[in-house]
Amino acid sequence: MRIFLLILLSVIALFKLTSIQPALAAETSNGANIFNNNCAACHIGGGNILISQKTLKKEALSKYLENYNTDSIQAIIYQVQNGKNAMPAFKSKLSAQEILEVAGYVFQKAEQGW
């Protein structure tokens, strides 16, 4: 668990940088692929086809995800792992690394305004 937290903190630090490093771009690409294969059907372009106000835009994430403002990546990871309401849980479908990568991708896209 400590290794996972160390990796998580490293990813958070990388995403807070103003320029994207080549390694980070590769991780983002993996996150984008995971998102496109698992999430885009309901969340295309950061939207939400089921509940229009619960998008993946920064304002909606900070309103609907617990602890988003204080621990954004962890809040997204929790949501992806456990689901909620109409959103299914992905903890048995995606690996911990894949969940981390897709959470990083969602966070980055939310910060950029999708």
Side-chain angles (χ1 to χ4, degrees):
M1 186 65 173
R2 286 182 184 223
I3 292 173
F4 178 75
L5 290 175
L6 181 59
I7 292 170
L8 177 63
L9 291 173
S10 298
V11 170
I12 291 169
L14 286 173
F15 278 111
K16 296 216 180 218
L17 295 174
T18 55
S19 64
I20 296 177
Q21 307 279 327
L24 181 58
E27 289 176 16
T28 301
S29 177
N30 290 339
N33 289 336
I34 296 163
F35 181 88
N36 289 333
N37 292 332
N38 296 279
C39 313
C42 292
H43 293 291
I44 192 159
N48 186 325
I49 65 167
L50 299 174
I51 305 170
S52 61
Q53 70 272 23
K54 291 189 176 181
T55 68
L56 300 179
K57 305 208 188 273
K58 186 175 181 177
E59 302 78 30
L61 291 175
S62 63
K63 182 176 181 180
Y64 294 110
L65 292 185
E66 277 187 47
N67 302 321
Y68 182 80
N69 291 322
T70 57
D71 198 356
S72 304
I73 300 274
Q74 187 60 41
I76 296 168
I77 288 170
Y78 183 85
Q79 185 78 16
V80 173
Q81 287 176 330
N82 300 295
K84 188 174 183 182
N85 300 323
M87 182 176 163
F90 284 88
K91 65 182 164 191
S92 62
K93 183 175 182 185
L94 299 175
S95 71
Q97 181 63 35
E98 289 171 322
I99 290 172
L100 181 61
E101 289 175 5
V102 77
Y105 173 77
V106 168
F107 175 78
Q108 180 184 27
K109 295 298 282 183
E111 288 293 311
Q112 295 173 344
W114 283 92

